[in-house]
Amino acid sequence: MTMHSNLAQALIIRAIAREDAERALIGAPSPPCAKQVAVGEHADHPAALTADAVRQEIRSLGVCDMPPATDLVATLLETLSQRLGGNGYKSAWEAIGIKPTRGRDLLARSAGAVDWPIWKTLRDAALAD
């Protein structure tokens, strides 16, 4: 059983969520799925192979690229959630000083409001090595 980086785990979780036509992609995945991935289940999922490319894409974004793609914001949020023990998006938003209700809004109708300070804080917290 291979253990992946938090980013790879997040990519696996999001890929599994995409496979479930009943779930909205932006919403947080089910806690059991996140826990399964955290302990190494689904370790052979092909989404893990994209982690380096996604990390480079995320790191390449600068101030002039704001707002970032909502999918990248959700990926970083899931990555931070995994770093925090898979406790979900609420804990991840709180960890970077954003109220969960505001965070949910940033993944939906206010996605265009993700500016550089929010992005950099989320990125640095999620990808801290």
Side-chain angles (χ1 to χ4, degrees):
M1 180 176 350
T2 303
M3 295 301 290
H4 292 292
S5 70
N6 292 314
L7 176 58
Q9 289 176 5
L11 291 169
I12 293 167
I13 291 165
R14 295 197 40 78
I16 291 169
R18 278 187 188 98
E19 294 166 3
D20 183 354
E22 298 295 315
R23 290 198 51 79
L25 179 59
I26 298 302
S30 66
C33 174
K35 300 285 186 207
Q36 290 170 353
V37 171
V39 298
E41 291 184 37
H42 310 288
D44 59 347
H45 197 287
L49 300 175
T50 66
D52 288 337
V54 172
R55 180 182 300 273
Q56 288 177 352
E57 179 182 3
I58 288 168
R59 291 271 185 211
S60 74
L61 295 179
V63 174
C64 62
D65 300 311
M66 297 297 107
T70 304
D71 190 52
L72 290 178
V73 175
T75 297
L76 282 178
L77 194 62
E78 184 60 49
T79 302
L80 182 54
S81 173
Q82 289 302 299
R83 284 196 71 220
L84 298 171
N87 293 326
Y89 285 11
K90 180 180 184 285
S91 295
W93 283 123
E94 289 171 341
I96 63 167
I98 294 180
K99 293 181 180 184
T101 53
R102 172 77 172 130
R104 281 191 301 275
D105 199 42
L106 290 171
L107 288 175
R109 67 175 179 228
S110 294
V114 177
D115 58 9
W116 178 250
I118 293 171
W119 172 256
K120 185 171 183 332
T121 302
L122 179 58
R123 182 195 72 188
D124 292 353
L127 299 181
D129 296 325

